[in-house]
mmCIF file of all heavy atoms in Angstrom:
data_model
loop_
_atom_site.group_PDB
_atom_site.id
_atom_site.type_symbol
_atom_site.label_atom_id
_atom_site.label_comp_id
_atom_site.label_asym_id
_atom_site.label_seq_id
_atom_site.Cartn_x
_atom_site.Cartn_y
_atom_site.Cartn_z
ATOM 1 N N MET Q 1 0.830 -1.201 0.000
ATOM 2 C CA MET Q 1 0.000 0.000 0.000
ATOM 3 C C MET Q 1 0.866 1.255 0.000
ATOM 4 O O MET Q 1 0.546 2.239 -0.674
ATOM 5 C CB MET Q 1 -0.935 -0.007 1.214
ATOM 6 C CG MET Q 1 -2.055 -1.013 1.103
ATOM 7 S SD MET Q 1 -3.061 -1.099 2.580
ATOM 8 C CE MET Q 1 -3.784 0.509 2.600
ATOM 9 N N ALA Q 2 1.976 1.229 0.752
ATOM 10 C CA ALA Q 2 2.880 2.377 0.793
ATOM 11 C C ALA Q 2 3.513 2.615 -0.575
ATOM 12 O O ALA Q 2 3.621 3.766 -1.031
ATOM 13 C CB ALA Q 2 3.960 2.160 1.850
ATOM 14 N N SER Q 3 3.910 1.552 -1.255
ATOM 15 C CA SER Q 3 4.481 1.687 -2.596
ATOM 16 C C SER Q 3 3.458 2.264 -3.571
ATOM 17 O O SER Q 3 3.775 3.144 -4.374
ATOM 18 C CB SER Q 3 4.965 0.332 -3.107
ATOM 19 O OG SER Q 3 6.002 -0.142 -2.293
ATOM 20 N N SER Q 4 2.219 1.775 -3.489
ATOM 21 C CA SER Q 4 1.167 2.298 -4.364
ATOM 22 C C SER Q 4 0.897 3.768 -4.080
ATOM 23 O O SER Q 4 0.707 4.560 -5.002
ATOM 24 C CB SER Q 4 -0.116 1.499 -4.173
ATOM 25 O OG SER Q 4 0.064 0.173 -4.576
ATOM 26 N N LEU Q 5 0.878 4.124 -2.812
ATOM 27 C CA LEU Q 5 0.646 5.523 -2.435
ATOM 28 C C LEU Q 5 1.756 6.417 -2.956
ATOM 29 O O LEU Q 5 1.503 7.499 -3.495
ATOM 30 C CB LEU Q 5 0.533 5.645 -0.913
ATOM 31 C CG LEU Q 5 0.348 7.051 -0.369
ATOM 32 C CD1 LEU Q 5 -0.991 7.636 -0.812
ATOM 33 C CD2 LEU Q 5 0.421 7.049 1.148
ATOM 34 N N ILE Q 6 2.990 5.974 -2.849
ATOM 35 C CA ILE Q 6 4.125 6.774 -3.297
ATOM 36 C C ILE Q 6 4.110 6.924 -4.823
ATOM 37 O O ILE Q 6 4.362 8.006 -5.353
ATOM 38 C CB ILE Q 6 5.443 6.156 -2.803
ATOM 39 C CG1 ILE Q 6 5.552 6.349 -1.279
ATOM 40 C CG2 ILE Q 6 6.640 6.763 -3.512
ATOM 41 C CD1 ILE Q 6 6.638 5.542 -0.630
ATOM 42 N N MET Q 7 3.774 5.855 -5.518
ATOM 43 C CA MET Q 7 3.776 5.909 -6.983
ATOM 44 C C MET Q 7 2.592 6.709 -7.532
ATOM 45 O O MET Q 7 2.746 7.456 -8.485
ATOM 46 C CB MET Q 7 3.748 4.495 -7.571
ATOM 47 C CG MET Q 7 4.988 3.686 -7.243
ATOM 48 S SD MET Q 7 6.543 4.484 -7.691
ATOM 49 C CE MET Q 7 6.482 4.336 -9.463
ATOM 50 N N HIS Q 8 1.414 6.578 -6.921
ATOM 51 C CA HIS Q 8 0.208 7.220 -7.458
ATOM 52 C C HIS Q 8 -0.183 8.499 -6.726
ATOM 53 O O HIS Q 8 -1.089 9.200 -7.177
ATOM 54 C CB HIS Q 8 -0.968 6.239 -7.422
ATOM 55 C CG HIS Q 8 -0.720 5.006 -8.222
ATOM 56 N ND1 HIS Q 8 -0.635 4.996 -9.599
ATOM 57 C CD2 HIS Q 8 -0.510 3.719 -7.843
ATOM 58 C CE1 HIS Q 8 -0.393 3.773 -10.018
ATOM 59 N NE2 HIS Q 8 -0.314 2.975 -8.978
ATOM 60 N N LYS Q 9 0.422 8.767 -5.572
ATOM 61 C CA LYS Q 9 0.183 9.965 -4.744
ATOM 62 C C LYS Q 9 -1.186 9.981 -4.063
ATOM 63 O O LYS Q 9 -1.475 10.846 -3.269
ATOM 64 C CB LYS Q 9 0.320 11.276 -5.547
ATOM 65 C CG LYS Q 9 1.565 11.398 -6.378
ATOM 66 C CD LYS Q 9 2.820 11.360 -5.561
ATOM 67 C CE LYS Q 9 4.050 11.596 -6.384
ATOM 68 N NZ LYS Q 9 4.501 10.427 -7.132
ATOM 69 N N ARG Q 10 -2.059 8.997 -4.383
ATOM 70 C CA ARG Q 10 -3.395 8.966 -3.804
ATOM 71 C C ARG Q 10 -3.975 7.560 -3.984
ATOM 72 O O ARG Q 10 -3.910 7.015 -5.084
ATOM 73 C CB ARG Q 10 -4.269 9.982 -4.542
ATOM 74 C CG ARG Q 10 -5.719 9.905 -4.242
ATOM 75 C CD ARG Q 10 -6.497 10.835 -5.114
ATOM 76 N NE ARG Q 10 -6.114 12.211 -4.846
ATOM 77 C CZ ARG Q 10 -6.657 13.256 -5.425
ATOM 78 N NH1 ARG Q 10 -7.586 13.101 -6.322
ATOM 79 N NH2 ARG Q 10 -6.278 14.467 -5.129
ATOM 80 N N ILE Q 11 -4.525 6.985 -2.904
ATOM 81 C CA ILE Q 11 -5.182 5.690 -3.008
ATOM 82 C C ILE Q 11 -6.457 5.708 -2.174
ATOM 83 O O ILE Q 11 -6.615 6.529 -1.271
ATOM 84 C CB ILE Q 11 -4.279 4.513 -2.560
ATOM 85 C CG1 ILE Q 11 -3.848 4.659 -1.102
ATOM 86 C CG2 ILE Q 11 -3.084 4.351 -3.464
ATOM 87 C CD1 ILE Q 11 -3.140 3.441 -0.550
ATOM 88 N N THR Q 12 -7.359 4.781 -2.478
ATOM 89 C CA THR Q 12 -8.595 4.622 -1.717
ATOM 90 C C THR Q 12 -8.546 3.290 -0.994
ATOM 91 O O THR Q 12 -8.202 2.266 -1.597
ATOM 92 C CB THR Q 12 -9.816 4.652 -2.664
ATOM 93 O OG1 THR Q 12 -9.783 5.876 -3.394
ATOM 94 C CG2 THR Q 12 -11.102 4.577 -1.877
ATOM 95 N N THR Q 13 -8.882 3.300 0.297
ATOM 96 C CA THR Q 13 -8.844 2.097 1.116
ATOM 97 C C THR Q 13 -9.815 2.268 2.280
ATOM 98 O O THR Q 13 -10.544 3.252 2.330
ATOM 99 C CB THR Q 13 -7.406 1.821 1.597
ATOM 100 O OG1 THR Q 13 -7.379 0.602 2.332
ATOM 101 C CG2 THR Q 13 -6.883 2.947 2.464
ATOM 102 N N THR Q 14 -9.810 1.322 3.208
ATOM 103 C CA THR Q 14 -10.675 1.468 4.375
ATOM 104 C C THR Q 14 -10.024 2.428 5.365
ATOM 105 O O THR Q 14 -8.816 2.669 5.322
ATOM 106 C CB THR Q 14 -10.918 0.115 5.062
ATOM 107 O OG1 THR Q 14 -9.673 -0.396 5.533
ATOM 108 C CG2 THR Q 14 -11.568 -0.871 4.115
ATOM 109 N N VAL Q 15 -10.821 2.945 6.280
ATOM 110 C CA VAL Q 15 -10.314 3.924 7.245
ATOM 111 C C VAL Q 15 -9.271 3.290 8.159
ATOM 112 O O VAL Q 15 -8.230 3.902 8.451
ATOM 113 C CB VAL Q 15 -11.480 4.530 8.061
ATOM 114 C CG1 VAL Q 15 -10.964 5.401 9.190
ATOM 115 C CG2 VAL Q 15 -12.387 5.335 7.158
ATOM 116 N N ALA Q 16 -9.505 2.063 8.609
ATOM 117 C CA ALA Q 16 -8.552 1.407 9.506
ATOM 118 C C ALA Q 16 -7.202 1.206 8.822
ATOM 119 O O ALA Q 16 -6.146 1.474 9.416
ATOM 120 C CB ALA Q 16 -9.117 0.063 9.968
ATOM 121 N N LYS Q 17 -7.225 0.761 7.559
ATOM 122 C CA LYS Q 17 -5.973 0.586 6.825
ATOM 123 C C LYS Q 17 -5.316 1.929 6.543
ATOM 124 O O LYS Q 17 -4.087 2.036 6.550
ATOM 125 C CB LYS Q 17 -6.223 -0.150 5.506
ATOM 126 C CG LYS Q 17 -6.531 -1.612 5.675
ATOM 127 C CD LYS Q 17 -6.777 -2.225 4.316
ATOM 128 C CE LYS Q 17 -7.293 -3.637 4.432
ATOM 129 N NZ LYS Q 17 -7.667 -4.180 3.121
ATOM 130 N N ALA Q 18 -6.107 2.956 6.296
ATOM 131 C CA ALA Q 18 -5.560 4.293 6.041
ATOM 132 C C ALA Q 18 -4.807 4.807 7.260
ATOM 133 O O ALA Q 18 -3.720 5.377 7.139
ATOM 134 C CB ALA Q 18 -6.669 5.250 5.651
ATOM 135 N N LYS Q 19 -5.387 4.614 8.445
ATOM 136 C CA LYS Q 19 -4.722 5.077 9.674
ATOM 137 C C LYS Q 19 -3.444 4.289 9.928
ATOM 138 O O LYS Q 19 -2.424 4.857 10.348
ATOM 139 C CB LYS Q 19 -5.676 4.946 10.850
ATOM 140 C CG LYS Q 19 -6.810 5.952 10.817
ATOM 141 C CD LYS Q 19 -7.754 5.755 11.982
ATOM 142 C CE LYS Q 19 -8.889 6.763 11.939
ATOM 143 N NZ LYS Q 19 -9.838 6.553 13.056
ATOM 144 N N ALA Q 20 -3.461 2.978 9.661
ATOM 145 C CA ALA Q 20 -2.255 2.168 9.826
ATOM 146 C C ALA Q 20 -1.196 2.570 8.803
ATOM 147 O O ALA Q 20 -0.002 2.615 9.105
ATOM 148 C CB ALA Q 20 -2.601 0.688 9.684
ATOM 149 N N LEU Q 21 -1.638 2.885 7.588
ATOM 150 C CA LEU Q 21 -0.711 3.291 6.529
ATOM 151 C C LEU Q 21 -0.050 4.622 6.853
ATOM 152 O O LEU Q 21 1.135 4.813 6.582
ATOM 153 C CB LEU Q 21 -1.454 3.379 5.194
ATOM 154 C CG LEU Q 21 -0.629 3.714 3.966
ATOM 155 C CD1 LEU Q 21 0.391 2.615 3.694
ATOM 156 C CD2 LEU Q 21 -1.525 3.906 2.762
ATOM 157 N N LYS Q 22 -0.796 5.530 7.455
ATOM 158 C CA LYS Q 22 -0.246 6.836 7.816
ATOM 159 C C LYS Q 22 0.895 6.671 8.817
ATOM 160 O O LYS Q 22 1.955 7.286 8.677
ATOM 161 C CB LYS Q 22 -1.347 7.708 8.406
ATOM 162 C CG LYS Q 22 -0.941 9.123 8.677
ATOM 163 C CD LYS Q 22 -2.123 9.964 9.092
ATOM 164 C CE LYS Q 22 -1.710 11.403 9.263
ATOM 165 N NZ LYS Q 22 -2.828 12.267 9.625
ATOM 166 N N VAL Q 23 0.696 5.804 9.804
ATOM 167 C CA VAL Q 23 1.744 5.539 10.802
ATOM 168 C C VAL Q 23 2.958 4.879 10.142
ATOM 169 O O VAL Q 23 4.091 5.086 10.571
ATOM 170 C CB VAL Q 23 1.169 4.659 11.936
ATOM 171 C CG1 VAL Q 23 2.252 4.193 12.878
ATOM 172 C CG2 VAL Q 23 0.096 5.418 12.687
ATOM 173 N N TYR Q 24 2.726 4.095 9.087
ATOM 174 C CA TYR Q 24 3.791 3.369 8.399
ATOM 175 C C TYR Q 24 4.599 4.268 7.468
ATOM 176 O O TYR Q 24 5.827 4.164 7.385
ATOM 177 C CB TYR Q 24 3.153 2.226 7.599
ATOM 178 C CG TYR Q 24 4.104 1.226 7.007
ATOM 179 C CD1 TYR Q 24 4.573 0.151 7.748
ATOM 180 C CD2 TYR Q 24 4.511 1.327 5.673
ATOM 181 C CE1 TYR Q 24 5.422 -0.788 7.196
ATOM 182 C CE2 TYR Q 24 5.357 0.388 5.111
ATOM 183 C CZ TYR Q 24 5.805 -0.667 5.881
ATOM 184 O OH TYR Q 24 6.656 -1.599 5.328
ATOM 185 N N VAL Q 25 3.925 5.194 6.764
ATOM 186 C CA VAL Q 25 4.579 5.968 5.701
ATOM 187 C C VAL Q 25 5.252 7.240 6.225
ATOM 188 O O VAL Q 25 6.333 7.600 5.745
ATOM 189 C CB VAL Q 25 3.564 6.312 4.588
ATOM 190 C CG1 VAL Q 25 4.132 7.291 3.592
ATOM 191 C CG2 VAL Q 25 3.128 5.058 3.876
ATOM 192 N N GLU Q 26 4.637 7.914 7.177
ATOM 193 C CA GLU Q 26 5.181 9.217 7.592
ATOM 194 C C GLU Q 26 6.620 9.151 8.096
ATOM 195 O O GLU Q 26 7.419 10.017 7.745
ATOM 196 C CB GLU Q 26 4.233 9.880 8.586
ATOM 197 C CG GLU Q 26 2.946 10.299 7.894
ATOM 198 C CD GLU Q 26 2.258 11.475 8.539
ATOM 199 O OE1 GLU Q 26 2.655 11.877 9.647
ATOM 200 O OE2 GLU Q 26 1.327 12.002 7.912
ATOM 201 N N PRO Q 27 7.019 8.135 8.890
ATOM 202 C CA PRO Q 27 8.447 8.058 9.255
ATOM 203 C C PRO Q 27 9.355 7.826 8.050
ATOM 204 O O PRO Q 27 10.504 8.299 8.040
ATOM 205 C CB PRO Q 27 8.510 6.864 10.219
ATOM 206 C CG PRO Q 27 7.142 6.732 10.741
ATOM 207 C CD PRO Q 27 6.222 7.171 9.651
ATOM 208 N N LEU Q 28 8.857 7.128 7.024
ATOM 209 C CA LEU Q 28 9.665 6.900 5.821
ATOM 210 C C LEU Q 28 9.884 8.204 5.065
ATOM 211 O O LEU Q 28 10.966 8.441 4.525
ATOM 212 C CB LEU Q 28 8.993 5.866 4.914
ATOM 213 C CG LEU Q 28 8.787 4.476 5.500
ATOM 214 C CD1 LEU Q 28 8.127 3.570 4.486
ATOM 215 C CD2 LEU Q 28 10.088 3.888 5.980
ATOM 216 N N VAL Q 29 8.864 9.049 5.019
ATOM 217 C CA VAL Q 29 9.007 10.337 4.343
ATOM 218 C C VAL Q 29 9.998 11.213 5.111
ATOM 219 O O VAL Q 29 10.840 11.891 4.511
ATOM 220 C CB VAL Q 29 7.644 11.034 4.197
ATOM 221 C CG1 VAL Q 29 7.805 12.403 3.567
ATOM 222 C CG2 VAL Q 29 6.698 10.188 3.359
ATOM 223 N N THR Q 30 9.911 11.189 6.429
ATOM 224 C CA THR Q 30 10.869 11.944 7.245
ATOM 225 C C THR Q 30 12.282 11.440 7.002
ATOM 226 O O THR Q 30 13.222 12.226 6.875
ATOM 227 C CB THR Q 30 10.518 11.816 8.736
ATOM 228 O OG1 THR Q 30 9.183 12.279 8.931
ATOM 229 C CG2 THR Q 30 11.468 12.628 9.594
ATOM 230 N N LYS Q 31 12.443 10.125 6.908
ATOM 231 C CA LYS Q 31 13.755 9.529 6.656
ATOM 232 C C LYS Q 31 14.270 9.910 5.273
ATOM 233 O O LYS Q 31 15.472 10.084 5.071
ATOM 234 C CB LYS Q 31 13.638 8.007 6.789
ATOM 235 C CG LYS Q 31 14.919 7.259 6.652
ATOM 236 C CD LYS Q 31 15.855 7.503 7.789
ATOM 237 C CE LYS Q 31 15.759 6.430 8.824
ATOM 238 N NZ LYS Q 31 16.854 6.575 9.811
ATOM 239 N N SER Q 32 13.359 10.095 4.311
ATOM 240 C CA SER Q 32 13.782 10.387 2.943
ATOM 241 C C SER Q 32 14.284 11.817 2.770
ATOM 242 O O SER Q 32 14.888 12.127 1.744
ATOM 243 C CB SER Q 32 12.634 10.133 1.970
ATOM 244 O OG SER Q 32 11.637 11.108 2.116
ATOM 245 N N LYS Q 33 14.034 12.685 3.743
ATOM 246 C CA LYS Q 33 14.540 14.061 3.642
ATOM 247 C C LYS Q 33 16.069 14.078 3.661
ATOM 248 O O LYS Q 33 16.692 14.962 3.079
ATOM 249 C CB LYS Q 33 14.004 14.907 4.796
ATOM 250 C CG LYS Q 33 12.529 15.223 4.688
ATOM 251 C CD LYS Q 33 12.134 16.067 5.869
ATOM 252 C CE LYS Q 33 10.696 16.451 5.866
ATOM 253 N NZ LYS Q 33 10.357 17.302 7.007
ATOM 254 N N ASP Q 34 16.674 13.104 4.352
ATOM 255 C CA ASP Q 34 18.125 12.974 4.388
ATOM 256 C C ASP Q 34 18.520 11.961 3.319
ATOM 257 O O ASP Q 34 18.372 10.758 3.516
ATOM 258 C CB ASP Q 34 18.578 12.508 5.776
ATOM 259 C CG ASP Q 34 20.057 12.204 5.831
ATOM 260 O OD1 ASP Q 34 20.840 12.891 5.134
ATOM 261 O OD2 ASP Q 34 20.453 11.281 6.577
ATOM 262 N N ASP Q 35 18.992 12.445 2.180
ATOM 263 C CA ASP Q 35 19.309 11.556 1.062
ATOM 264 C C ASP Q 35 20.719 10.993 1.235
ATOM 265 O O ASP Q 35 21.690 11.506 0.689
ATOM 266 C CB ASP Q 35 19.181 12.311 -0.264
ATOM 267 C CG ASP Q 35 19.245 11.380 -1.454
ATOM 268 O OD1 ASP Q 35 19.292 10.153 -1.243
ATOM 269 O OD2 ASP Q 35 19.232 11.872 -2.589
ATOM 270 N N SER Q 36 20.822 9.920 2.003
ATOM 271 C CA SER Q 36 22.088 9.225 2.183
ATOM 272 C C SER Q 36 21.890 7.757 1.849
ATOM 273 O O SER Q 36 20.756 7.272 1.751
ATOM 274 C CB SER Q 36 22.582 9.374 3.626
ATOM 275 O OG SER Q 36 21.697 8.725 4.514
ATOM 276 N N THR Q 37 22.963 7.049 1.679
ATOM 277 C CA THR Q 37 22.884 5.630 1.353
ATOM 278 C C THR Q 37 22.192 4.861 2.464
ATOM 279 O O THR Q 37 21.363 3.979 2.208
ATOM 280 C CB THR Q 37 24.291 5.056 1.134
ATOM 281 O OG1 THR Q 37 24.951 5.826 0.141
ATOM 282 C CG2 THR Q 37 24.224 3.602 0.680
ATOM 283 N N HIS Q 38 22.495 5.209 3.698
ATOM 284 C CA HIS Q 38 21.888 4.511 4.830
ATOM 285 C C HIS Q 38 20.375 4.713 4.860
ATOM 286 O O HIS Q 38 19.619 3.739 5.013
ATOM 287 C CB HIS Q 38 22.498 4.999 6.145
ATOM 288 C CG HIS Q 38 21.867 4.390 7.346
ATOM 289 N ND1 HIS Q 38 21.969 3.047 7.635
ATOM 290 C CD2 HIS Q 38 21.090 4.923 8.314
ATOM 291 C CE1 HIS Q 38 21.291 2.792 8.746
ATOM 292 N NE2 HIS Q 38 20.752 3.922 9.173
ATOM 293 N N SER Q 39 19.922 5.963 4.677
ATOM 294 C CA SER Q 39 18.480 6.207 4.735
ATOM 295 C C SER Q 39 17.767 5.547 3.557
ATOM 296 O O SER Q 39 16.647 5.049 3.705
ATOM 297 C CB SER Q 39 18.174 7.703 4.785
ATOM 298 O OG SER Q 39 18.652 8.351 3.645
ATOM 299 N N ARG Q 40 18.425 5.493 2.393
ATOM 300 C CA ARG Q 40 17.823 4.796 1.253
ATOM 301 C C ARG Q 40 17.665 3.310 1.542
ATOM 302 O O ARG Q 40 16.648 2.700 1.211
ATOM 303 C CB ARG Q 40 18.670 4.980 -0.009
ATOM 304 C CG ARG Q 40 18.436 6.296 -0.699
ATOM 305 C CD ARG Q 40 19.241 6.369 -1.992
ATOM 306 N NE ARG Q 40 19.025 7.648 -2.636
ATOM 307 C CZ ARG Q 40 18.135 7.854 -3.591
ATOM 308 N NH1 ARG Q 40 17.390 6.858 -4.027
ATOM 309 N NH2 ARG Q 40 17.986 9.043 -4.131
ATOM 310 N N ARG Q 41 18.664 2.720 2.178
ATOM 311 C CA ARG Q 41 18.595 1.288 2.491
ATOM 312 C C ARG Q 41 17.529 1.001 3.545
ATOM 313 O O ARG Q 41 16.826 -0.001 3.469
ATOM 314 C CB ARG Q 41 19.958 0.784 2.962
ATOM 315 C CG ARG Q 41 20.938 0.652 1.825
ATOM 316 C CD ARG Q 41 22.288 0.182 2.281
ATOM 317 N NE ARG Q 41 23.163 -0.005 1.135
ATOM 318 C CZ ARG Q 41 24.464 -0.192 1.222
ATOM 319 N NH1 ARG Q 41 25.066 -0.206 2.408
ATOM 320 N NH2 ARG Q 41 25.181 -0.369 0.136
ATOM 321 N N VAL Q 42 17.408 1.886 4.511
ATOM 322 C CA VAL Q 42 16.386 1.698 5.547
ATOM 323 C C VAL Q 42 14.994 1.798 4.934
ATOM 324 O O VAL Q 42 14.117 0.959 5.200
ATOM 325 C CB VAL Q 42 16.568 2.734 6.682
ATOM 326 C CG1 VAL Q 42 15.378 2.729 7.610
ATOM 327 C CG2 VAL Q 42 17.835 2.448 7.459
ATOM 328 N N VAL Q 43 14.771 2.794 4.085
ATOM 329 C CA VAL Q 43 13.472 2.962 3.441
ATOM 330 C C VAL Q 43 13.181 1.776 2.515
ATOM 331 O O VAL Q 43 12.059 1.255 2.500
ATOM 332 C CB VAL Q 43 13.409 4.299 2.668
ATOM 333 C CG1 VAL Q 43 12.186 4.373 1.775
ATOM 334 C CG2 VAL Q 43 13.425 5.455 3.649
ATOM 335 N N PHE Q 44 14.188 1.307 1.775
ATOM 336 C CA PHE Q 44 13.987 0.165 0.889
ATOM 337 C C PHE Q 44 13.634 -1.096 1.671
ATOM 338 O O PHE Q 44 12.849 -1.926 1.204
ATOM 339 C CB PHE Q 44 15.225 -0.079 0.032
ATOM 340 C CG PHE Q 44 15.086 -1.259 -0.888
ATOM 341 C CD1 PHE Q 44 14.305 -1.163 -2.029
ATOM 342 C CD2 PHE Q 44 15.715 -2.459 -0.617
ATOM 343 C CE1 PHE Q 44 14.158 -2.246 -2.886
ATOM 344 C CE2 PHE Q 44 15.570 -3.539 -1.467
ATOM 345 C CZ PHE Q 44 14.787 -3.441 -2.604
ATOM 346 N N SER Q 45 14.182 -1.238 2.889
ATOM 347 C CA SER Q 45 13.866 -2.420 3.690
ATOM 348 C C SER Q 45 12.394 -2.431 4.105
ATOM 349 O O SER Q 45 11.816 -3.496 4.325
ATOM 350 C CB SER Q 45 14.759 -2.488 4.931
ATOM 351 O OG SER Q 45 14.382 -1.511 5.870
ATOM 352 N N TYR Q 46 11.774 -1.250 4.188
ATOM 353 C CA TYR Q 46 10.349 -1.175 4.509
ATOM 354 C C TYR Q 46 9.480 -1.305 3.253
ATOM 355 O O TYR Q 46 8.471 -1.998 3.270
ATOM 356 C CB TYR Q 46 10.019 0.150 5.196
ATOM 357 C CG TYR Q 46 10.368 0.174 6.656
ATOM 358 C CD1 TYR Q 46 11.616 0.608 7.070
ATOM 359 C CD2 TYR Q 46 9.460 -0.242 7.611
ATOM 360 C CE1 TYR Q 46 11.950 0.633 8.417
ATOM 361 C CE2 TYR Q 46 9.782 -0.226 8.951
ATOM 362 C CZ TYR Q 46 11.036 0.218 9.348
ATOM 363 O OH TYR Q 46 11.353 0.229 10.676
ATOM 364 N N LEU Q 47 9.862 -0.636 2.174
ATOM 365 C CA LEU Q 47 9.028 -0.607 0.974
ATOM 366 C C LEU Q 47 9.191 -1.842 0.093
ATOM 367 O O LEU Q 47 8.241 -2.266 -0.561
ATOM 368 C CB LEU Q 47 9.337 0.637 0.137
ATOM 369 C CG LEU Q 47 8.958 1.976 0.741
ATOM 370 C CD1 LEU Q 47 9.353 3.094 -0.201
ATOM 371 C CD2 LEU Q 47 7.474 2.027 1.045
ATOM 372 N N LYS Q 48 10.404 -2.384 0.009
ATOM 373 C CA LYS Q 48 10.706 -3.549 -0.825
ATOM 374 C C LYS Q 48 10.363 -3.299 -2.300
ATOM 375 O O LYS Q 48 9.941 -4.204 -3.021
ATOM 376 C CB LYS Q 48 9.966 -4.781 -0.303
ATOM 377 C CG LYS Q 48 10.365 -5.153 1.113
ATOM 378 C CD LYS Q 48 9.439 -6.181 1.696
ATOM 379 C CE LYS Q 48 9.797 -6.515 3.113
ATOM 380 N NZ LYS Q 48 9.734 -5.399 4.031
#
């Protein structure tokens, strides 16, 4: 779901999944502000 959201910028889902997705994606976006090899690897380990 996070990969789909990042690629399409908008998705439709249930409210419960949306709230879980928000908790999952927001730290990844914060991590992506620092463009380093380590942060890319950490984000890739979550997104696959």
Side-chain angles (χ1 to χ4, degrees):
M1 288 175 65
S3 297
S4 296
L5 178 65
I6 289 167
M7 296 306 288
H8 300 291
K9 311 299 185 281
R10 169 186 297 182
I11 60 171
T12 303
T13 183
T14 62
V15 172
K17 287 179 189 174
K19 289 178 180 178
L21 183 64
K22 186 173 184 178
V23 172
Y24 190 85
V25 171
E26 291 207 350
L28 299 181
V29 177
T30 303
K31 184 68 97 170
S32 71
K33 289 181 180 182
D34 174 34
D35 191 5
S36 65
T37 305
H38 176 66
S39 61
R40 279 184 181 265
R41 286 179 177 168
V42 169
V43 169
F44 179 75
S45 72
Y46 280 91
L47 293 179
K48 299 169 182 61

